[in-house]
Amino acid sequence: MKIIAARIIVTCPGRNFVTLKIETDQGVHGIGDATLNGRELSVVSYLQDHVAPCLIGRDPRCIEDIWQYLYRGAYWRRGPVTMRAIAAVDVALWDIKAKMANMPLYDLLGGRSRDGVLVYGHANGADLGETVEAVGRYIDMGYKAVRAQSGIPGIDLAYGVGRGKLYYEPADAALPTETVWDTRKYLNFAPSLFERLRETYGFGVELLHDVHHRLTPIEAGQLGKAVEPHRLFWLEDVTPAENQEAFRLVRQHTTTPLAVGEIFNTIWDCKDLIANQYIDYIRTTVVGAGGITHLRRIADFAALHQVRTGAHGATDLSPVTMGAALHFDTWVPNFGIQEYMRHAEETDAVFPHDYVFGDGRLHVGDTPGHGVDIDEALAAKYPYKPAYLPVARLEDGTMWNW
Ligand code: CS2
Ligand code: MG
């Protein structure tokens, strides 16, 4: 069996997506997501100019060997561009293998470990009242877990607050939008949101919150301690994680569960966080960290330390990543939760898929492979449109972490 073509498809049905399609001499094809929000074309070039030529003629069944060939063989290891390109190849090859085996991917991985995949939705509002109402709408839709983000008094354009009610899309402009951040205003406000949510909805729903890398470790410790009575499912990305040891300080000060990892590329980014049990949930997902092959290594390592998965699932991860992630989540023994931001209708139309939402969970179908395809004719109707994530500055102009 041989790979005869590896094509990269760029499309913007509501937002930009990069998709790799691998074709074989046996007529079976597989697809993988390679989208890197705000830096999409760098992965297109990496795949088109440097990876695709090396794939032609290879046996697509040798997933592990191809992974090692692309990782070790590049000489330059790790990084978001390299690892997303490897992920796209890896997911396309798992798709092909599962189709050849006539099995849904979760079956090939080891079989079903649960009936459905618990997901959390995104509720946000311009102020506390609107956010509380938004959480109520998610509960009414059947969600068992909801992430709550609110506008903060005195801060324009707070992280996580969308323009529409159901959708939140941060990559919103042809050049980065400038936002202003103030930690004091945020810390004075954030605990009151969760106090109000518990008063309104009780303790039967899981509540989550994303700090989006804005705090220092000691500030993160203060926030974690302040929200302890409201029993959050997790606080996410409380502080940047390049220095994994930084989480030791946070951990010493709070029992609020911590989640991190959406920007990690390999097991090396979370090795100390996991081994020292500084975190409770690892948020790395298939497209972020070299595909199913590498994510499985991270999850197995995490399991040894009672760290569970909580994969990133924002709209910049295409339905291809969502499909692959849901098969992974259906199998992985130490599953925690899956993020689920609904894609726009145009996106769903370009990527026909068989997963469905019901009862607070996402359910994969039994289509052989990962169950997601691409309608290339429709994709061609949505040309690439440059879009950047915002940046953040402090009030005096100093650059901060968005
Ligand atoms: C976020 C993302 O979903 C999340 O938890 O942190 O919305 C993130 O900002 C985007 O994926 C960036 O592309
Ligand atoms: Mg996040």
Side-chain angles (χ1 to χ4, degrees):
M1 189 175 185
K2 281 189 169 41
I3 295 174
I4 55 167
R7 288 186 294 114
I8 295 88
I9 304 153
V10 182
T11 179
C12 186
R15 64 155 8 274
N16 291 315
F17 293 110
V18 177
T19 309
L20 172 70
K21 182 165 182 174
I22 295 184
E23 285 159 318
T24 67
D25 60 356
Q26 312 228 340
V28 182
H29 74 270
I31 60 170
D33 177 24
T35 309
L36 180 58
N37 204 2
R39 296 291 187 272
E40 295 87 357
L41 300 183
S42 55
V43 194
V44 173
S45 163
Y46 194 108
L47 280 169
Q48 212 151 259
D49 300 330
H50 306 293
V51 172
C54 306
L55 292 177
I56 308 304
R58 279 181 196 284
D59 185 338
R61 293 170 297 188
C62 301
I63 301 179
E64 185 67 51
D65 182 67
I66 291 178
W67 196 96
Q68 300 292 341
Y69 178 82
L70 294 174
Y71 183 82
R72 293 170 195 260
Y75 186 63
W76 312 106
R77 298 182 182 202
R78 306 164 66 187
V81 177
T82 297
M83 297 311 289
R84 269 174 154 80
I86 294 178
V89 174
D90 187 76
V91 170
L93 296 182
W94 278 102
D95 193 24
I96 290 171
K97 194 183 274 290
K99 285 175 177 169
M100 297 289 292
N102 198 27
M103 285 179 182
L105 179 56
Y106 71 80
D107 242 343
L108 195 59
L109 290 173
R112 187 180 277 285
S113 297
R114 55 196 51 82
D115 297 334
V117 170
L118 177 70
V119 296
Y120 68 92
H122 279 210
N124 60 73
D127 57 26
L128 191 147
E130 267 191 21
T131 308
V132 172
E133 274 174 35
V135 169
R137 282 195 297 275
Y138 275 87
I139 295 172
D140 291 345
M141 284 189 276
Y143 282 79
K144 298 176 192 304
V146 188
R147 173 183 116 156
Q149 306 292 141
S150 171
I152 298 156
I155 296 185
D156 277 344
L157 303 175
Y159 165 77
V161 180
R163 309 225 160 113
K165 289 272 182 267
L166 199 55
Y167 299 104
Y168 160 64
E169 184 52 75
D172 61 355
L175 284 173
T177 303
E178 301 253 341
T179 65
V180 177
W181 176 250
D182 185 309
T183 297
R184 178 51 51 212
K185 288 175 183 156
Y186 169 73
L187 285 179
N188 286 343
F189 168 78
S192 65
L193 171 64
F194 292 94
E195 188 180 345
R196 182 76 70 80
L197 285 168
R198 287 306 185 202
E199 276 165 19
T200 313
Y201 302 114
F203 284 81
V205 59
E206 300 289 5
L207 295 176
L208 299 85
H209 182 66
D210 191 350
V211 185
H212 225 252
H213 326 270
R214 302 295 168 90
L215 303 178
T216 64
I218 201 69
E219 290 163 351
Q222 287 172 20
L223 176 64
K225 196 185 272 186
V227 298
E228 273 171 24
H230 315 310
R231 278 181 257 154
L232 267 59
F233 187 89
W234 77 35
L235 268 183
E236 175 185 337
D237 288 341
V238 287
T239 195
E242 285 98 329
N243 172 17
Q244 298 178 43
E245 267 300 297
F247 276 71
R248 186 157 61 97
L249 192 59
V250 186
R251 198 60 149 175
Q252 281 168 346
H253 291 283
T254 180
T255 57
T256 295
L258 303 173
V260 68
E262 68 184 35
I263 67 171
F264 293 171
N265 316 128
T266 70
I267 199 164
W268 300 102
D269 296 325
C270 49
K271 180 176 140 305
D272 302 335
L273 285 168
I274 291 172
N276 292 308
Q277 295 184 264
Y278 293 157
I279 58 169
D280 301 279
Y281 296 93
I282 180 71
R283 282 187 37 72
T284 312
T285 191
V286 240
V287 65
I292 302 274
T293 298
H294 193 67
L295 191 65
R296 191 161 64 169
R297 301 220 152 92
I298 296 177
D300 282 343
F301 180 60
L304 301 181
H305 303 278
Q306 288 177 282
V307 172
R308 293 191 286 160
T309 66
H312 188 203
T315 39
D316 47 300
L317 312 182
S318 91
V320 180
T321 285
M322 184 52 83
L326 291 173
H327 281 270
F328 189 86
D329 296 338
T330 299
W331 156 73
V332 72
N334 49 325
F335 172 73
I337 201 165
Q338 167 69 51
E339 180 179 19
Y340 176 43
M341 271 171 92
R342 285 162 191 261
H343 285 111
E345 275 170 28
E346 306 94 284
T347 301
D348 281 339
V350 166
F351 296 96
H353 53 263
D354 68 356
Y355 56 81
V356 290
F357 176 80
D359 201 21
R361 296 190 166 85
L362 277 168
H363 302 267
V364 284
D366 276 332
T367 314
H370 57 46
V372 188
D373 216 330
I374 183 163
D375 179 335
E376 289 193 60
L378 193 56
K381 295 194 175 143
Y382 298 103
Y384 170 75
K385 216 169 116 195
Y388 278 93
L389 289 168
V391 296
R393 292 183 188 276
L394 303 182
E395 279 171 341
D396 69 358
T398 307
M399 274 297 294
W400 198 244
N401 317 310
W402 176 71

